[in-house]
Amino acid sequence: MAEEAPPQPLIDPTHFDLIVSGTGLPESILFASATAAGKSVLHVDSNPFYGSHFASHSFPSLLSLLQQPPLLQPEASDEDDGGFVPVSRRSIYLDVEISGALTLEPYSRSFSLDLAGPRILYCSDPAVEMMLKSGASHHLEFKSVLASLIYFEGKLHSGGDLQDKSLGLAEKNRMMRFIRLVTGHIGSDGGGGLPDEDAEVPMAEFLDRQGLSAKIKSIILYAIVMADYDQDNQRFPNAVGAFIYPIYGQGELPQAFCRCAAVKGAIYVLRMPVTGLLVDKETKQYKGVRLSSGQDIFSHHLVMDPSFIAQHSFFSTNASSHHEDSEVPKAKECQGLSSSTTKVARAICITKGSIWPDSSNLLHLHAAMNAILLHSDMNDSQNSASTVSEDSEGETKPTLMWSALFVQEFKEASLEPVCSCPMPDGNLDYGELLEATIKLFHHMYPQEEIFAKPPPTEDTEEDDGSLE
């Protein structure tokens, strides 16, 4: 017999400054930052796991998520008298194609699969600074990214590694001269370095002016600078720092911020969906939410997972309350995925061996799968003892055992009448997501500094704050 779901707890108190629905990274940062600012916050999630669209999953959990029905309807409400607005959720994953009959359940807890990545963190970027400032870094472990690879002229090459034997001596000398030129410009502090006409041109054109070969140009653009699209219109950036990655996956990041809030006594509840919004019957202004337990909880502010969709009539009525010169988006922009127009194509692959010699680490595909992986009969791939094979041209490639290709809808953050956080975007880092999250925090609390108080220096016994 299937195990019965645990009873849903009643929440006390019933009034909060802020309710956050969803445990994605932006929602978890808002949860922790509002708690650090002294606000009372309730954090709920319909899922039994942390991370929402930013989670790291076991193999069975990932399959279950990608195979969800497109629309998840809420439970019917006993009343609908104008003060209750039902909400529904829809899957943001479309056109899912899964290939390979792989049985990994016995090993499913030995690894995790990032749903919205993998992504990298630059050691010197604002995301790392926020982890240090908030104390989230105390709950995380990182490892360095071992190599950046580029696919050039039919082969993989190590990017920026001067020990790479495929680079000729002349190419290595040109790259070293270029690196010295750039570091000299950055260190000149306006007192020398590059001429203005070189510093202001698109980076691809700047590299051409240096007389660099196409291979060296590709290494600089896509392995050192980590550009993730064609750079013809990109200006020359400052140098980036080293790359790091959470050991247990990107899903650890939202959990770390949740723990920061839990230490301060904040409440979070998993397996607790929001089924509807409570609004004032006369003004149509938001005043609270109804949870799947049937309990009504009230708050001044609400932040929703962007995959939620609310009834259009509430938003269109509330739109009239905004001034024309307000910076707040009109209500028609805040209806969840119904207004989403951007999509991100993603792929998750399990291979029998690494694409790079003497490495057993995972890879982030930023190239065509057909170019670097050998497709076998994946229904029979478990019977093959070989981890790598040769293609028709004699190139050694790892065997592709299983893959999932899907399209993820993307929606940016929106503000009133109900705030929603951004979905995972197509970038390699968290820069734009972090900027949008900080903007949401200052919209709700314009007088507060995000994570203004430093985290405690002494070890504190952790109260997990969970009402599971």
Side-chain angles (χ1 to χ4, degrees), residues 29 126-128 130 430-439:
I29 290 175
V128 172
M130 178 173 284
Y430 290 102
E432 293 184 10
L433 288 168
L434 186 59
E435 289 179 9
T437 303
I438 294 173
K439 183 178 179 180

Side-chain angles (χ1 to χ4, degrees), residues 144-150 157-159 161 223 226 243 356 359 362:
S144 297
V145 175
L146 298 182
S148 300
L149 311 177
I150 63 167
H157 300 270
S158 176
D161 183 3
M226 295 295 288
F243 311 133
W356 195 242
S359 175
L362 300 180

Side-chain angles (χ1 to χ4, degrees), residues 115-192:
L115 186 60
R119 293 170 183 260
I120 58 171
L121 291 160
Y122 305 107
C123 285
S124 59
D125 76 4
V128 172
E129 294 298 324
M130 178 173 284
M131 292 177 204
L132 294 170
K133 190 176 181 181
S134 65
S137 58
H138 297 163
H139 309 288
L140 292 164
E141 292 183 67
F142 294 95
K143 66 178 298 182
S144 297
V145 175
L146 298 182
S148 300
L149 311 177
I150 63 167
Y151 186 74
F152 184 78
E153 294 183 344
K155 295 182 180 181
L156 283 171
H157 300 270
S158 176
D161 183 3
L162 295 180
Q163 302 300 319
D164 185 358
K165 296 180 180 179
S166 69
L167 288 176
L169 181 59
E171 289 178 311
K172 293 179 180 180
N173 288 336
R174 289 192 190 99
M175 187 161 68
M176 282 304 301
R177 284 198 298 268
F178 171 79
I179 292 173
R180 284 195 292 265
L181 175 66
V182 174
T183 55
H185 173 73
I186 295 173
S188 66
D189 197 21

Side-chain angles (χ1 to χ4, degrees), residues 45-215:
D45 196 320
S46 59
N47 296 305
F49 54 83
Y50 294 93
S52 188
H53 310 303
F54 295 80
S56 299
H57 290 271
S58 67
F59 186 69
S61 175
L62 177 71
L63 286 177
S64 176
L65 184 73
L66 292 178
Q67 295 170 349
Q68 281 184 343
L71 185 63
L72 307 175
Q73 294 285 359
E75 297 180 5
S77 174
D78 295 333
E79 58 178 286
D80 186 5
D81 56 1
F84 177 80
V85 179
V87 298
S88 57
R89 289 176 57 237
R90 60 173 289 185
S91 173
I92 68 171
Y93 308 108
L94 312 172
D95 302 326
V96 178
E97 297 181 10
I98 296 177
S99 301
L102 204 56
T103 303
L104 292 176
E105 280 77 4
Y107 315 101
S108 62
R109 294 190 178 275
S110 301
F111 62 92
S112 60
L113 301 168
D114 281 347
L115 186 60
R119 293 170 183 260
I120 58 171
L121 291 160
Y122 305 107
C123 285
S124 59
D125 76 4
V128 172
E129 294 298 324
M130 178 173 284
M131 292 177 204
L132 294 170
K133 190 176 181 181
S134 65
S137 58
H138 297 163
H139 309 288
L140 292 164
E141 292 183 67
F142 294 95
K143 66 178 298 182
S144 297
V145 175
L146 298 182
S148 300
L149 311 177
I150 63 167
Y151 186 74
F152 184 78
E153 294 183 344
K155 295 182 180 181
L156 283 171
H157 300 270
S158 176
D161 183 3
L162 295 180
Q163 302 300 319
D164 185 358
K165 296 180 180 179
S166 69
L167 288 176
L169 181 59
E171 289 178 311
K172 293 179 180 180
N173 288 336
R174 289 192 190 99
M175 187 161 68
M176 282 304 301
R177 284 198 298 268
F178 171 79
I179 292 173
R180 284 195 292 265
L181 175 66
V182 174
T183 55
H185 173 73
I186 295 173
S188 66
D189 197 21
L194 297 177
D196 290 342
E197 60 267 23
D198 282 342
E200 296 297 325
V201 299
M203 187 170 185
E205 180 181 339
F206 172 74
L207 295 178
D208 287 336
R209 292 185 181 186
Q210 306 308 308
L212 300 173
S213 67
K215 182 177 179 180

Side-chain angles (χ1 to χ4, degrees), residues 59 62 99 102 104 111 113-114 117-118 346-353 355 362-363 365 367-370 372-373 375 378 399-406:
F59 186 69
L62 177 71
S99 301
L102 204 56
L104 292 176
F111 62 92
L113 301 168
D114 281 347
R346 300 193 186 279
I348 299 175
C349 301
I350 298 178
T351 65
K352 215 167 190 179
I355 64 170
L362 300 180
L363 63 135
L365 287 180
M369 288 196 306
N370 290 340
I372 61 176
L373 300 176
H375 293 254
M378 290 189 286
T399 302
L400 178 61
M401 301 172 63
W402 181 91
S403 68
L405 308 178
F406 56 96

Side-chain angles (χ1 to χ4, degrees), residues 387-398:
T387 59
V388 296
S389 304
E390 290 186 357
D391 63 9
S392 58
E393 298 179 357
E395 291 292 332
T396 300
K397 297 180 179 180

